[in-house]
Amino acid sequence: MTAVAPVVETSLSNLKLLRRGKVRDVYEVDADRLLIVATDRISAFDSVSPTPIERKGEVLTALSRFWISKLGHIVPHHLLTTNLDEMPEPVRAHGDELRGRSMLVKRTDVFPVECVVRGYITGSGLKDYQRTGEVCGHKLPAGLRDSEKLSQSIFTPATKAETGHDENISEQQMAEIVGEDAMKTLRDVSLRLYTEASDYARTRGIIIADTKFEFGRDGNGEITLIDEVLTPDSSRFWPVDSYEVGKSQPSFDKQYVRDYLESINWNKQPPCPELPREIAEATTKRYLEAYELITGESL
């Protein structure tokens, strides 16, 4: 594929911009459909880096398409197409900018929670565990070490934040937000998605340590999987062949960027520092490698 310039921010004059998140720009196509554009922006510690990661948006879109197809028997999804040629003319008019990084989707009424599943103890879950012995209300055995596999995957929801920090919450707190029945359904579906995906990924040489899903209700009130699915932005991907309990793992996700920012002692207050070229290029390489390992194809 011919290299193209990174897409940092889109401006589609003939479509209404509804939301600009840390990575995605969301446009209204009509009353029933949205266009989700995955840019090459990258966020770390809740700040968007001024340095883009080339081809990142392509990887996020292609991997989401792959997983939605693979896991579609578990829960309905909102994806209509990622093929620009099948999209409405106002979208096709921006083909050079949007090709390979856009999803035409059904509109849904979005649940205001992140549905996080953890199969391993690391990240914010590890910090909560070290402080309290629990993660989101789940009491865990004493003595767990960094990156250790849990005896059973746990559902650890969080509040959603377009900016700032997501906050880990308990299942009961989630039930107070979305209702008891919806919480139970979202929990059970999330655990099933994670289990099936992680079992498959391991056969491809990748451990999915944790991931987050998002859901909404479609026009018929049916719970629907939305947004990105099992990408390096929404998941921790570790190589099976170098996995070792008790330390931070090398990864195929943006942890590489986080590690660099930690190494320069950034205070994690905006603005985020520029990334050196070698860090940005190595991150692109990791995203592409994750896609190739999982799908068995080159992007």
Side-chain angles (χ1 to χ4, degrees), residues 66-79:
F66 170 84
W67 286 116
I68 283 172
S69 174
K70 190 167 190 62
L71 303 173
H73 59 283
I74 295 176
V75 63
H77 58 80
H78 71 158
L79 180 61

Side-chain angles (χ1 to χ4, degrees), residues 119-162:
Y120 295 74
I121 188 75
T122 192
S124 66
L126 177 63
K127 291 177 182 177
D128 288 348
Y129 167 75
Q130 290 173 334
R131 188 174 63 251
T132 68
E134 298 184 358
V135 181
C136 296
H138 295 274
K139 182 71 174 176
L140 298 177
L144 293 177
R145 294 178 292 161
D146 188 2
S147 304
E148 191 159 350
K149 190 177 192 302
L150 299 173
S151 59
Q152 185 173 339
S153 301
I154 57 175
F155 180 64
T156 61
T159 57
K160 293 175 65 170
E162 281 297 311

Side-chain angles (χ1 to χ4, degrees), residues 145-272:
R145 294 178 292 161
D146 188 2
S147 304
E148 191 159 350
K149 190 177 192 302
L150 299 173
S151 59
Q152 185 173 339
S153 301
I154 57 175
F155 180 64
T156 61
T159 57
K160 293 175 65 170
E162 281 297 311
T163 59
H165 295 275
D166 296 341
E167 179 187 353
N168 292 341
I169 57 176
S170 66
E171 290 181 10
Q172 184 54 46
Q173 288 172 299
M174 177 176 166
E176 292 169 3
I177 297 171
V178 303
E180 185 79 19
D181 289 346
M183 183 279 289
K184 289 179 179 177
T185 299
L186 294 173
R187 177 194 63 199
D188 294 349
V189 167
S190 296
L191 287 166
R192 188 178 171 195
L193 288 167
Y194 173 79
T195 298
E196 189 159 322
S198 60
D199 287 350
Y200 167 79
R202 186 169 272 276
T203 71
R204 305 293 305 173
I206 287 182
I207 293 169
I208 304 178
D210 54 42
T211 195
K212 67 179 180 181
F213 301 106
E214 296 192 46
F215 297 90
R217 289 192 188 274
D218 68 10
N220 298 316
E222 189 168 35
I223 288 178
T224 302
L225 181 63
I226 66 170
D227 202 51
E228 64 182 320
V229 180
L230 292 153
T231 72
D233 271 18
S234 66
S235 318
R236 283 186 175 87
F237 292 157
W238 298 338
V240 170
D241 58 8
S242 62
Y243 171 67
E244 185 179 342
V245 176
K247 64 175 188 177
S248 179
Q249 308 300 310
S251 66
F252 296 108
D253 52 57
K254 62 182 179 181
Q255 188 61 44
Y256 189 66
V257 170
R258 294 192 194 101
D259 289 346
Y260 166 76
L261 293 172
E262 293 268 26
S263 75
I264 63 171
N265 297 316
W266 173 47
N267 65 6
K268 301 175 186 174
Q269 299 300 312
C272 182

